[in-house]
Amino acid sequence: MYKLGDNDYVQNRNWNVLVFMCVVLILFGILLVRLFSLQYTHYDENLQRSENNRIRKVVLVAERGYIYDRNGVVLVRNRPSYQVALQAMSLPRSKAERDSVFYRLLRIKDKEGVRLFDSLSLDTAFQRSRWIRNRPITFFEDASPEQVALIEEHSSELPGVVTMIESRREYPYGTLASHVLGYTGEISEDQLKLPEFEGYSQGDRIGQKGLEQGYDLEFRGKNGIKLVEVNASGRELGPVKGVDAQPPVPGLHLISTIDLKLQKAAEDAIPDSARGALVAIDPRNGEILAMVSSPRLDPNIFSLKKRERNKGWAQVALDSLRPLTNRAISGTYTPASVFKLVTAGAGIENGILSESKYYPKACTGGYQYGARYQKCWGTHGNLNVVHAIRLSCDVFFYQAGLEIDMARINEFGRRFGLGEQPLGIDIPGEKGGWLVDSASFNAKNKRLGWRWARGLILNLAIGQGELVTPLQQAVLVGSLATNKGVYRPHLMKELRDDNGTVVRRYEPEIIRPGNMKPETHRILMAAMDSVVNHPGGTGKRGAIPGIRVGAKTGSGEWKKGAKTHAWYAAVAPLDDPQIAVAVIMEAAGGGGAVSGPIARKVMMAYFGKEDEEKK
């Protein structure tokens, strides 16, 4: 016989059992629904995820195109470089296992007992692997074959650690033509935000200066893709069967206009410790034959390991001589007496000067203009325009400038490549110059309170006040000699594919009129000829036996009491111009004495007279 309390107990127990059974049924129902969802509703999606864990997409980086000189000599090539990296998707998920991989890497030592990896680089890579999952994270660059072998020995203990091989740029001639060639470096975050870098990703190496930057898109080629099977440790087992890899398309090779022999001659002539620049150009088509900016730098430092690369970068970036600056295209200087060719050309072209014209005031060492006495560097007597250019007489050009006026002088200069507008060379960093008139002078000096005065023409007529680049000076004398137009200066001759087929050829382009009356041309050429080939000429140290060289010297003032910048601009042969050379040596003294011999060495190499130079 049951008591009332016993019934309550039984009922409560049955109710609890019922609730428990319902909960179990609900959980099983949820589990069945989830299994159904995984097996049927999301089958394709889960299969794809499974395949993604088993199959890895590997990007096959295209080989970067080479750079050659005009005769086919390799100036820039690629070298293989082994990298050790973390493959984030293959790393263990648990912190303990990841830490285990970390400490195993730290324990690896080379044959001399030195740790292969430093903890800081490893820690940084492991931290980055938490949010970067789609690409390898390099933590050791330029590993030697012996170091790679050490990693492979421990591969079974290092899930997620991979060794890769990539191409690094190599510049076999070191500093030679370094500002022309440029260098490559990892793309920055700021660059990735720019529209011109659409399609690039973090970690990509791109051209940062010179031809490497100017033709980066052509050099890059097109990356390929392959699918490989991987095991649970992330090790590659081999290609996926039945799926063909998409091979990379190598970048284009660039045949430059640079002549290696001429480039070597130019760099041998300019000490690396000096500050200066040289441009040698073919005025008939705008091809740059040689370009030097000193001091130079070795672009190979940008292909080294990160620590060595940062050290090398710091040295050049902090160098007070600014070796990163390409003075040939971005250095701006007063043109000095080379500009007298422009003043004279404007005067002859406008009927103001002629071979028979002499100014009433002969050169006695200076010129009185109002209350101002303007000195000349010598005492030259009574001269015509040809003699004034030969002796570089300032007094003659003081008077000529006042009579011709700056509007005519500037117009003539712009015809032949001078002025604010850059010439459009095919590497980045080019600057324009400055031709001074009353409006531009007042605008530039407004904050200083300076105003245009007619007396400024005295300085401007002799090239003390305007600004030019060495490239503009070379283009100026070259186009004055040809009288057939100013061609856009360029460094690319041809682009070829991996089979040697020409994909693109640079077509010469006239960008300025670059012409004058036959009489103007005849007188200017006679004057340039006398600068070099007359015993009293200021540029006689640039003479070459058997070659008719024409030139103009200059000494550019830049700081009171300091040595002048030494200019020498030359062209040869005058009757059939093939090469124009402009040289500037900063704070070096007289142009004829310092820069003339440098230009001569380059021209001797061009005309195959190096042996005569050595005698």
Side-chain angles (χ1 to χ4, degrees), residues 79 81 83 138 140-142 166 168 183-186 205 298-317:
R79 63 173 177 85
S81 174
Q83 319 296 316
T138 301
F140 191 78
E141 301 176 89
D142 255 354
E166 68 174 31
R168 289 285 177 95
Y183 57 87
T184 61
E186 190 170 325
R205 296 184 71 83
D298 187 349
N300 284 303
I301 65 175
F302 300 100
S303 296
L304 299 175
K305 296 178 183 179
K306 187 174 183 179
R307 181 179 295 177
E308 296 170 8
R309 184 169 67 242
N310 289 345
K311 183 180 178 181
W313 167 256
Q315 287 177 343
V316 297

PDB file of all heavy atoms in Angstrom, residues 79 81 83 138 140-142 166 168 183-186 205 298-317:
ATOM      1  N   ARG A  79      69.265  36.671 -60.191  1.00  0.00           N
ATOM      2  CA  ARG A  79      69.975  35.573 -59.537  1.00  0.00           C
ATOM      3  C   ARG A  79      68.998  34.841 -58.624  1.00  0.00           C
ATOM      4  O   ARG A  79      68.064  35.445 -58.088  1.00  0.00           O
ATOM      5  CB  ARG A  79      71.158  36.083 -58.724  1.00  0.00           C
ATOM      6  CG  ARG A  79      70.774  37.004 -57.563  1.00  0.00           C
ATOM      7  CD  ARG A  79      71.975  37.334 -56.684  1.00  0.00           C
ATOM      8  NE  ARG A  79      71.631  38.274 -55.616  1.00  0.00           N
ATOM      9  CZ  ARG A  79      71.120  37.912 -54.448  1.00  0.00           C
ATOM     10  NH1 ARG A  79      70.852  36.641 -54.201  1.00  0.00           N
ATOM     11  NH2 ARG A  79      70.846  38.829 -53.532  1.00  0.00           N
ATOM     12  N   SER A  81      67.516  33.210 -55.281  1.00  0.00           N
ATOM     13  CA  SER A  81      67.637  33.540 -53.863  1.00  0.00           C
ATOM     14  C   SER A  81      66.677  32.654 -53.067  1.00  0.00           C
ATOM     15  O   SER A  81      65.473  32.629 -53.342  1.00  0.00           O
ATOM     16  CB  SER A  81      67.305  35.016 -53.632  1.00  0.00           C
ATOM     17  OG  SER A  81      67.281  35.322 -52.250  1.00  0.00           O
ATOM     18  N   GLN A  83      64.534  31.624 -49.812  1.00  0.00           N
ATOM     19  CA  GLN A  83      63.845  32.282 -48.706  1.00  0.00           C
ATOM     20  C   GLN A  83      63.241  31.216 -47.784  1.00  0.00           C
ATOM     21  O   GLN A  83      62.768  30.184 -48.264  1.00  0.00           O
ATOM     22  CB  GLN A  83      62.717  33.195 -49.207  1.00  0.00           C
ATOM     23  CG  GLN A  83      63.035  34.005 -50.449  1.00  0.00           C
ATOM     24  CD  GLN A  83      64.140  35.007 -50.229  1.00  0.00           C
ATOM     25  OE1 GLN A  83      64.166  35.703 -49.227  1.00  0.00           O
ATOM     26  NE2 GLN A  83      65.091  35.064 -51.163  1.00  0.00           N
ATOM     27  N   THR A 138      57.951  35.673 -45.221  1.00  0.00           N
ATOM     28  CA  THR A 138      59.393  35.417 -45.192  1.00  0.00           C
ATOM     29  C   THR A 138      60.009  35.951 -43.903  1.00  0.00           C
ATOM     30  O   THR A 138      59.743  37.074 -43.494  1.00  0.00           O
ATOM     31  CB  THR A 138      60.072  36.078 -46.407  1.00  0.00           C
ATOM     32  OG1 THR A 138      59.510  35.543 -47.603  1.00  0.00           O
ATOM     33  CG2 THR A 138      61.565  35.826 -46.399  1.00  0.00           C
ATOM     34  N   PHE A 140      63.526  34.759 -43.292  1.00  0.00           N
ATOM     35  CA  PHE A 140      64.963  34.590 -43.506  1.00  0.00           C
ATOM     36  C   PHE A 140      65.231  34.669 -45.000  1.00  0.00           C
ATOM     37  O   PHE A 140      64.704  33.875 -45.770  1.00  0.00           O
ATOM     38  CB  PHE A 140      65.435  33.249 -42.945  1.00  0.00           C
ATOM     39  CG  PHE A 140      66.932  33.107 -42.880  1.00  0.00           C
ATOM     40  CD1 PHE A 140      67.660  33.720 -41.871  1.00  0.00           C
ATOM     41  CD2 PHE A 140      67.624  32.363 -43.831  1.00  0.00           C
ATOM     42  CE1 PHE A 140      69.049  33.586 -41.809  1.00  0.00           C
ATOM     43  CE2 PHE A 140      69.000  32.234 -43.782  1.00  0.00           C
ATOM     44  CZ  PHE A 140      69.717  32.856 -42.758  1.00  0.00           C
ATOM     45  N   GLU A 141      66.042  35.657 -45.410  1.00  0.00           N
ATOM     46  CA  GLU A 141      66.282  35.903 -46.823  1.00  0.00           C
ATOM     47  C   GLU A 141      67.662  35.422 -47.248  1.00  0.00           C
ATOM     48  O   GLU A 141      68.584  35.326 -46.439  1.00  0.00           O
ATOM     49  CB  GLU A 141      66.177  37.405 -47.122  1.00  0.00           C
ATOM     50  CG  GLU A 141      64.848  38.037 -46.788  1.00  0.00           C
ATOM     51  CD  GLU A 141      64.871  39.532 -47.034  1.00  0.00           C
ATOM     52  OE1 GLU A 141      64.566  39.931 -48.174  1.00  0.00           O
ATOM     53  OE2 GLU A 141      65.212  40.287 -46.110  1.00  0.00           O
ATOM     54  N   ASP A 142      67.783  35.169 -48.543  1.00  0.00           N
ATOM     55  CA  ASP A 142      69.076  34.834 -49.143  1.00  0.00           C
ATOM     56  C   ASP A 142      69.804  33.709 -48.396  1.00  0.00           C
ATOM     57  O   ASP A 142      70.981  33.818 -48.074  1.00  0.00           O
ATOM     58  CB  ASP A 142      69.961  36.080 -49.193  1.00  0.00           C
ATOM     59  CG  ASP A 142      70.048  36.647 -50.615  1.00  0.00           C
ATOM     60  OD1 ASP A 142      69.526  36.001 -51.539  1.00  0.00           O
ATOM     61  OD2 ASP A 142      70.629  37.724 -50.788  1.00  0.00           O
ATOM     62  N   GLU A 166      63.280  32.460 -55.122  1.00  0.00           N
ATOM     63  CA  GLU A 166      62.789  33.590 -55.907  1.00  0.00           C
ATOM     64  C   GLU A 166      63.965  34.277 -56.576  1.00  0.00           C
ATOM     65  O   GLU A 166      65.127  34.014 -56.254  1.00  0.00           O
ATOM     66  CB  GLU A 166      62.024  34.590 -55.027  1.00  0.00           C
ATOM     67  CG  GLU A 166      62.883  35.327 -54.030  1.00  0.00           C
ATOM     68  CD  GLU A 166      62.123  36.416 -53.279  1.00  0.00           C
ATOM     69  OE1 GLU A 166      60.905  36.278 -53.057  1.00  0.00           O
ATOM     70  OE2 GLU A 166      62.779  37.406 -52.907  1.00  0.00           O
ATOM     71  N   ARG A 168      66.234  37.556 -57.418  1.00  0.00           N
ATOM     72  CA  ARG A 168      66.652  38.869 -56.943  1.00  0.00           C
ATOM     73  C   ARG A 168      67.458  39.533 -58.049  1.00  0.00           C
ATOM     74  O   ARG A 168      68.160  38.877 -58.809  1.00  0.00           O
ATOM     75  CB  ARG A 168      67.509  38.741 -55.680  1.00  0.00           C
ATOM     76  CG  ARG A 168      66.728  38.322 -54.426  1.00  0.00           C
ATOM     77  CD  ARG A 168      65.901  39.465 -53.880  1.00  0.00           C
ATOM     78  NE  ARG A 168      65.111  39.064 -52.740  1.00  0.00           N
ATOM     79  CZ  ARG A 168      65.481  39.224 -51.465  1.00  0.00           C
ATOM     80  NH1 ARG A 168      66.658  39.756 -51.191  1.00  0.00           N
ATOM     81  NH2 ARG A 168      64.688  38.858 -50.489  1.00  0.00           N
ATOM     82  N   TYR A 183      66.950  50.529 -59.151  1.00  0.00           N
ATOM     83  CA  TYR A 183      66.996  49.315 -58.334  1.00  0.00           C
ATOM     84  C   TYR A 183      65.573  48.887 -58.019  1.00  0.00           C
ATOM     85  O   TYR A 183      64.608  49.604 -58.321  1.00  0.00           O
ATOM     86  CB  TYR A 183      67.784  49.560 -57.033  1.00  0.00           C
ATOM     87  CG  TYR A 183      67.256  50.697 -56.179  1.00  0.00           C
ATOM     88  CD1 TYR A 183      66.252  50.493 -55.236  1.00  0.00           C
ATOM     89  CD2 TYR A 183      67.752  51.991 -56.337  1.00  0.00           C
ATOM     90  CE1 TYR A 183      65.768  51.537 -54.457  1.00  0.00           C
ATOM     91  CE2 TYR A 183      67.276  53.048 -55.566  1.00  0.00           C
ATOM     92  CZ  TYR A 183      66.288  52.817 -54.622  1.00  0.00           C
ATOM     93  OH  TYR A 183      65.807  53.842 -53.864  1.00  0.00           O
ATOM     94  N   THR A 184      65.419  47.705 -57.431  1.00  0.00           N
ATOM     95  CA  THR A 184      64.092  47.220 -57.039  1.00  0.00           C
ATOM     96  C   THR A 184      64.004  47.148 -55.525  1.00  0.00           C
ATOM     97  O   THR A 184      65.010  47.041 -54.824  1.00  0.00           O
ATOM     98  CB  THR A 184      63.808  45.822 -57.625  1.00  0.00           C
ATOM     99  OG1 THR A 184      64.771  44.893 -57.120  1.00  0.00           O
ATOM    100  CG2 THR A 184      63.841  45.848 -59.143  1.00  0.00           C
ATOM    101  N   GLY A 185      62.791  47.199 -55.025  1.00  0.00           N
ATOM    102  CA  GLY A 185      62.537  47.089 -53.590  1.00  0.00           C
ATOM    103  C   GLY A 185      61.099  46.676 -53.359  1.00  0.00           C
ATOM    104  O   GLY A 185      60.263  46.717 -54.269  1.00  0.00           O
ATOM    105  N   GLU A 186      60.811  46.269 -52.134  1.00  0.00           N
ATOM    106  CA  GLU A 186      59.451  45.840 -51.804  1.00  0.00           C
ATOM    107  C   GLU A 186      58.503  47.027 -51.877  1.00  0.00           C
ATOM    108  O   GLU A 186      58.824  48.125 -51.431  1.00  0.00           O
ATOM    109  CB  GLU A 186      59.416  45.227 -50.408  1.00  0.00           C
ATOM    110  CG  GLU A 186      58.103  44.545 -50.074  1.00  0.00           C
ATOM    111  CD  GLU A 186      58.171  43.742 -48.778  1.00  0.00           C
ATOM    112  OE1 GLU A 186      59.228  43.161 -48.494  1.00  0.00           O
ATOM    113  OE2 GLU A 186      57.156  43.713 -48.062  1.00  0.00           O
ATOM    114  N   ARG A 205      58.045  42.955 -55.271  1.00  0.00           N
ATOM    115  CA  ARG A 205      59.217  43.801 -55.481  1.00  0.00           C
ATOM    116  C   ARG A 205      59.032  44.560 -56.788  1.00  0.00           C
ATOM    117  O   ARG A 205      58.704  43.961 -57.815  1.00  0.00           O
ATOM    118  CB  ARG A 205      60.494  42.959 -55.521  1.00  0.00           C
ATOM    119  CG  ARG A 205      60.788  42.257 -54.210  1.00  0.00           C
ATOM    120  CD  ARG A 205      62.101  41.506 -54.251  1.00  0.00           C
ATOM    121  NE  ARG A 205      63.235  42.416 -54.269  1.00  0.00           N
ATOM    122  CZ  ARG A 205      63.779  42.981 -53.189  1.00  0.00           C
ATOM    123  NH1 ARG A 205      63.266  42.728 -51.994  1.00  0.00           N
ATOM    124  NH2 ARG A 205      64.810  43.785 -53.284  1.00  0.00           N
ATOM    125  N   ASP A 298      75.792  51.553 -55.221  1.00  0.00           N
ATOM    126  CA  ASP A 298      75.721  50.182 -55.714  1.00  0.00           C
ATOM    127  C   ASP A 298      74.301  49.665 -55.519  1.00  0.00           C
ATOM    128  O   ASP A 298      73.869  49.417 -54.385  1.00  0.00           O
ATOM    129  CB  ASP A 298      76.711  49.295 -54.956  1.00  0.00           C
ATOM    130  CG  ASP A 298      76.804  47.886 -55.551  1.00  0.00           C
ATOM    131  OD1 ASP A 298      75.958  47.551 -56.405  1.00  0.00           O
ATOM    132  OD2 ASP A 298      77.702  47.133 -55.150  1.00  0.00           O
ATOM    133  N   PRO A 299      73.527  49.485 -56.603  1.00  0.00           N
ATOM    134  CA  PRO A 299      72.141  49.032 -56.457  1.00  0.00           C
ATOM    135  C   PRO A 299      72.020  47.608 -55.926  1.00  0.00           C
ATOM    136  O   PRO A 299      70.927  47.185 -55.534  1.00  0.00           O
ATOM    137  CB  PRO A 299      71.576  49.142 -57.869  1.00  0.00           C
ATOM    138  CG  PRO A 299      72.757  49.119 -58.770  1.00  0.00           C
ATOM    139  CD  PRO A 299      73.883  49.732 -58.007  1.00  0.00           C
ATOM    140  N   ASN A 300      73.136  46.861 -55.888  1.00  0.00           N
ATOM    141  CA  ASN A 300      73.088  45.498 -55.339  1.00  0.00           C
ATOM    142  C   ASN A 300      72.720  45.477 -53.860  1.00  0.00           C
ATOM    143  O   ASN A 300      72.251  44.453 -53.356  1.00  0.00           O
ATOM    144  CB  ASN A 300      74.439  44.797 -55.537  1.00  0.00           C
ATOM    145  CG  ASN A 300      74.644  44.354 -56.976  1.00  0.00           C
ATOM    146  OD1 ASN A 300      73.847  43.617 -57.540  1.00  0.00           O
ATOM    147  ND2 ASN A 300      75.718  44.834 -57.587  1.00  0.00           N
ATOM    148  N   ILE A 301      72.918  46.596 -53.160  1.00  0.00           N
ATOM    149  CA  ILE A 301      72.588  46.608 -51.727  1.00  0.00           C
ATOM    150  C   ILE A 301      71.099  46.401 -51.494  1.00  0.00           C
ATOM    151  O   ILE A 301      70.689  45.916 -50.439  1.00  0.00           O
ATOM    152  CB  ILE A 301      73.050  47.915 -51.033  1.00  0.00           C
ATOM    153  CG1 ILE A 301      72.288  49.128 -51.577  1.00  0.00           C
ATOM    154  CG2 ILE A 301      74.548  48.106 -51.145  1.00  0.00           C
ATOM    155  CD1 ILE A 301      72.602  50.425 -50.843  1.00  0.00           C
ATOM    156  N   PHE A 302      70.277  46.736 -52.485  1.00  0.00           N
ATOM    157  CA  PHE A 302      68.830  46.600 -52.324  1.00  0.00           C
ATOM    158  C   PHE A 302      68.353  45.173 -52.585  1.00  0.00           C
ATOM    159  O   PHE A 302      67.165  44.885 -52.455  1.00  0.00           O
ATOM    160  CB  PHE A 302      68.109  47.583 -53.241  1.00  0.00           C
ATOM    161  CG  PHE A 302      68.458  49.019 -52.960  1.00  0.00           C
ATOM    162  CD1 PHE A 302      69.383  49.695 -53.736  1.00  0.00           C
ATOM    163  CD2 PHE A 302      67.896  49.681 -51.889  1.00  0.00           C
ATOM    164  CE1 PHE A 302      69.727  51.005 -53.470  1.00  0.00           C
ATOM    165  CE2 PHE A 302      68.235  50.991 -51.601  1.00  0.00           C
ATOM    166  CZ  PHE A 302      69.144  51.658 -52.391  1.00  0.00           C
ATOM    167  N   SER A 303      69.276  44.278 -52.955  1.00  0.00           N
ATOM    168  CA  SER A 303      68.940  42.869 -53.146  1.00  0.00           C
ATOM    169  C   SER A 303      69.530  41.988 -52.050  1.00  0.00           C
ATOM    170  O   SER A 303      69.484  40.766 -52.151  1.00  0.00           O
ATOM    171  CB  SER A 303      69.444  42.391 -54.518  1.00  0.00           C
ATOM    172  OG  SER A 303      68.796  43.078 -55.566  1.00  0.00           O
ATOM    173  N   LEU A 304      70.090  42.610 -51.009  1.00  0.00           N
ATOM    174  CA  LEU A 304      70.697  41.860 -49.921  1.00  0.00           C
ATOM    175  C   LEU A 304      69.660  41.470 -48.873  1.00  0.00           C
ATOM    176  O   LEU A 304      68.483  41.823 -48.973  1.00  0.00           O
ATOM    177  CB  LEU A 304      71.810  42.698 -49.275  1.00  0.00           C
ATOM    178  CG  LEU A 304      72.983  43.093 -50.167  1.00  0.00           C
ATOM    179  CD1 LEU A 304      73.928  44.022 -49.406  1.00  0.00           C
ATOM    180  CD2 LEU A 304      73.728  41.869 -50.665  1.00  0.00           C
ATOM    181  N   LYS A 305      70.114  40.763 -47.824  1.00  0.00           N
ATOM    182  CA  LYS A 305      69.244  40.445 -46.702  1.00  0.00           C
ATOM    183  C   LYS A 305      68.771  41.728 -46.033  1.00  0.00           C
ATOM    184  O   LYS A 305      69.409  42.772 -46.139  1.00  0.00           O
ATOM    185  CB  LYS A 305      69.993  39.582 -45.681  1.00  0.00           C
ATOM    186  CG  LYS A 305      70.418  38.222 -46.202  1.00  0.00           C
ATOM    187  CD  LYS A 305      71.203  37.464 -45.148  1.00  0.00           C
ATOM    188  CE  LYS A 305      71.689  36.133 -45.681  1.00  0.00           C
ATOM    189  NZ  LYS A 305      72.482  35.377 -44.679  1.00  0.00           N
ATOM    190  N   LYS A 306      67.668  41.638 -45.312  1.00  0.00           N
ATOM    191  CA  LYS A 306      67.024  42.823 -44.764  1.00  0.00           C
ATOM    192  C   LYS A 306      67.968  43.646 -43.896  1.00  0.00           C
ATOM    193  O   LYS A 306      68.047  44.868 -44.033  1.00  0.00           O
ATOM    194  CB  LYS A 306      65.788  42.429 -43.961  1.00  0.00           C
ATOM    195  CG  LYS A 306      64.958  43.617 -43.502  1.00  0.00           C
ATOM    196  CD  LYS A 306      63.672  43.162 -42.842  1.00  0.00           C
ATOM    197  CE  LYS A 306      62.817  44.362 -42.446  1.00  0.00           C
ATOM    198  NZ  LYS A 306      61.546  43.935 -41.809  1.00  0.00           N
ATOM    199  N   ARG A 307      68.711  42.980 -43.016  1.00  0.00           N
ATOM    200  CA  ARG A 307      69.583  43.727 -42.106  1.00  0.00           C
ATOM    201  C   ARG A 307      70.681  44.449 -42.883  1.00  0.00           C
ATOM    202  O   ARG A 307      70.947  45.634 -42.651  1.00  0.00           O
ATOM    203  CB  ARG A 307      70.205  42.766 -41.085  1.00  0.00           C
ATOM    204  CG  ARG A 307      71.109  43.471 -40.074  1.00  0.00           C
ATOM    205  CD  ARG A 307      71.665  42.487 -39.074  1.00  0.00           C
ATOM    206  NE  ARG A 307      70.606  41.909 -38.248  1.00  0.00           N
ATOM    207  CZ  ARG A 307      70.813  40.974 -37.321  1.00  0.00           C
ATOM    208  NH1 ARG A 307      72.048  40.514 -37.125  1.00  0.00           N
ATOM    209  NH2 ARG A 307      69.820  40.504 -36.611  1.00  0.00           N
ATOM    210  N   GLU A 308      71.300  43.751 -43.826  1.00  0.00           N
ATOM    211  CA  GLU A 308      72.360  44.371 -44.636  1.00  0.00           C
ATOM    212  C   GLU A 308      71.779  45.440 -45.550  1.00  0.00           C
ATOM    213  O   GLU A 308      72.408  46.474 -45.795  1.00  0.00           O
ATOM    214  CB  GLU A 308      73.069  43.300 -45.452  1.00  0.00           C
ATOM    215  CG  GLU A 308      73.795  42.269 -44.604  1.00  0.00           C
ATOM    216  CD  GLU A 308      74.288  41.094 -45.420  1.00  0.00           C
ATOM    217  OE1 GLU A 308      74.187  41.163 -46.667  1.00  0.00           O
ATOM    218  OE2 GLU A 308      74.759  40.113 -44.831  1.00  0.00           O
ATOM    219  N   ARG A 309      70.573  45.179 -46.058  1.00  0.00           N
ATOM    220  CA  ARG A 309      69.906  46.157 -46.927  1.00  0.00           C
ATOM    221  C   ARG A 309      69.602  47.439 -46.159  1.00  0.00           C
ATOM    222  O   ARG A 309      69.838  48.551 -46.661  1.00  0.00           O
ATOM    223  CB  ARG A 309      68.625  45.542 -47.481  1.00  0.00           C
ATOM    224  CG  ARG A 309      67.897  46.419 -48.477  1.00  0.00           C
ATOM    225  CD  ARG A 309      66.810  45.643 -49.173  1.00  0.00           C
ATOM    226  NE  ARG A 309      65.721  45.241 -48.303  1.00  0.00           N
ATOM    227  CZ  ARG A 309      65.369  43.997 -48.042  1.00  0.00           C
ATOM    228  NH1 ARG A 309      66.055  42.984 -48.554  1.00  0.00           N
ATOM    229  NH2 ARG A 309      64.348  43.708 -47.246  1.00  0.00           N
ATOM    230  N   ASN A 310      69.089  47.307 -44.949  1.00  0.00           N
ATOM    231  CA  ASN A 310      68.767  48.490 -44.141  1.00  0.00           C
ATOM    232  C   ASN A 310      70.021  49.280 -43.792  1.00  0.00           C
ATOM    233  O   ASN A 310      70.018  50.510 -43.774  1.00  0.00           O
ATOM    234  CB  ASN A 310      68.050  48.069 -42.859  1.00  0.00           C
ATOM    235  CG  ASN A 310      66.638  47.570 -43.132  1.00  0.00           C
ATOM    236  OD1 ASN A 310      66.095  47.794 -44.211  1.00  0.00           O
ATOM    237  ND2 ASN A 310      66.059  46.889 -42.175  1.00  0.00           N
ATOM    238  N   LYS A 311      71.118  48.545 -43.525  1.00  0.00           N
ATOM    239  CA  LYS A 311      72.372  49.220 -43.209  1.00  0.00           C
ATOM    240  C   LYS A 311      72.885  49.995 -44.420  1.00  0.00           C
ATOM    241  O   LYS A 311      73.298  51.158 -44.309  1.00  0.00           O
ATOM    242  CB  LYS A 311      73.410  48.180 -42.758  1.00  0.00           C
ATOM    243  CG  LYS A 311      74.741  48.786 -42.338  1.00  0.00           C
ATOM    244  CD  LYS A 311      75.712  47.696 -41.897  1.00  0.00           C
ATOM    245  CE  LYS A 311      77.059  48.285 -41.518  1.00  0.00           C
ATOM    246  NZ  LYS A 311      78.022  47.230 -41.109  1.00  0.00           N
ATOM    247  N   GLY A 312      72.848  49.351 -45.595  1.00  0.00           N
ATOM    248  CA  GLY A 312      73.288  50.026 -46.813  1.00  0.00           C
ATOM    249  C   GLY A 312      72.414  51.219 -47.161  1.00  0.00           C
ATOM    250  O   GLY A 312      72.916  52.278 -47.575  1.00  0.00           O
ATOM    251  N   TRP A 313      71.091  51.050 -46.969  1.00  0.00           N
ATOM    252  CA  TRP A 313      70.159  52.145 -47.249  1.00  0.00           C
ATOM    253  C   TRP A 313      70.449  53.331 -46.336  1.00  0.00           C
ATOM    254  O   TRP A 313      70.465  54.483 -46.776  1.00  0.00           O
ATOM    255  CB  TRP A 313      68.729  51.669 -47.079  1.00  0.00           C
ATOM    256  CG  TRP A 313      67.735  52.787 -47.033  1.00  0.00           C
ATOM    257  CD1 TRP A 313      67.094  53.298 -45.949  1.00  0.00           C
ATOM    258  CD2 TRP A 313      67.274  53.574 -48.145  1.00  0.00           C
ATOM    259  NE1 TRP A 313      66.268  54.335 -46.300  1.00  0.00           N
ATOM    260  CE2 TRP A 313      66.362  54.523 -47.635  1.00  0.00           C
ATOM    261  CE3 TRP A 313      67.542  53.553 -49.511  1.00  0.00           C
ATOM    262  CZ2 TRP A 313      65.719  55.447 -48.459  1.00  0.00           C
ATOM    263  CZ3 TRP A 313      66.904  54.485 -50.322  1.00  0.00           C
ATOM    264  CH2 TRP A 313      66.002  55.408 -49.804  1.00  0.00           C
ATOM    265  N   ALA A 314      70.689  53.063 -45.060  1.00  0.00           N
ATOM    266  CA  ALA A 314      70.955  54.148 -44.115  1.00  0.00           C
ATOM    267  C   ALA A 314      72.203  54.924 -44.511  1.00  0.00           C
ATOM    268  O   ALA A 314      72.246  56.153 -44.422  1.00  0.00           O
ATOM    269  CB  ALA A 314      71.108  53.575 -42.704  1.00  0.00           C
ATOM    270  N   GLN A 315      73.217  54.214 -44.988  1.00  0.00           N
ATOM    271  CA  GLN A 315      74.466  54.877 -45.374  1.00  0.00           C
ATOM    272  C   GLN A 315      74.251  55.836 -46.542  1.00  0.00           C
ATOM    273  O   GLN A 315      74.748  56.966 -46.520  1.00  0.00           O
ATOM    274  CB  GLN A 315      75.523  53.829 -45.736  1.00  0.00           C
ATOM    275  CG  GLN A 315      76.083  53.084 -44.537  1.00  0.00           C
ATOM    276  CD  GLN A 315      77.083  52.008 -44.932  1.00  0.00           C
ATOM    277  OE1 GLN A 315      77.140  51.589 -46.093  1.00  0.00           O
ATOM    278  NE2 GLN A 315      77.875  51.554 -43.976  1.00  0.00           N
ATOM    279  N   VAL A 316      73.516  55.399 -47.567  1.00  0.00           N
ATOM    280  CA  VAL A 316      73.329  56.270 -48.732  1.00  0.00           C
ATOM    281  C   VAL A 316      72.294  57.353 -48.462  1.00  0.00           C
ATOM    282  O   VAL A 316      72.420  58.479 -48.961  1.00  0.00           O
ATOM    283  CB  VAL A 316      72.946  55.454 -49.985  1.00  0.00           C
ATOM    284  CG1 VAL A 316      74.055  54.513 -50.373  1.00  0.00           C
ATOM    285  CG2 VAL A 316      71.640  54.689 -49.787  1.00  0.00           C
ATOM    286  N   ALA A 317      71.278  57.029 -47.655  1.00  0.00           N
ATOM    287  CA  ALA A 317      70.224  58.019 -47.391  1.00  0.00           C
ATOM    288  C   ALA A 317      70.734  59.165 -46.526  1.00  0.00           C
ATOM    289  O   ALA A 317      70.270  60.312 -46.660  1.00  0.00           O
ATOM    290  CB  ALA A 317      69.034  57.341 -46.720  1.00  0.00           C
TER     291      ALA A 317
END
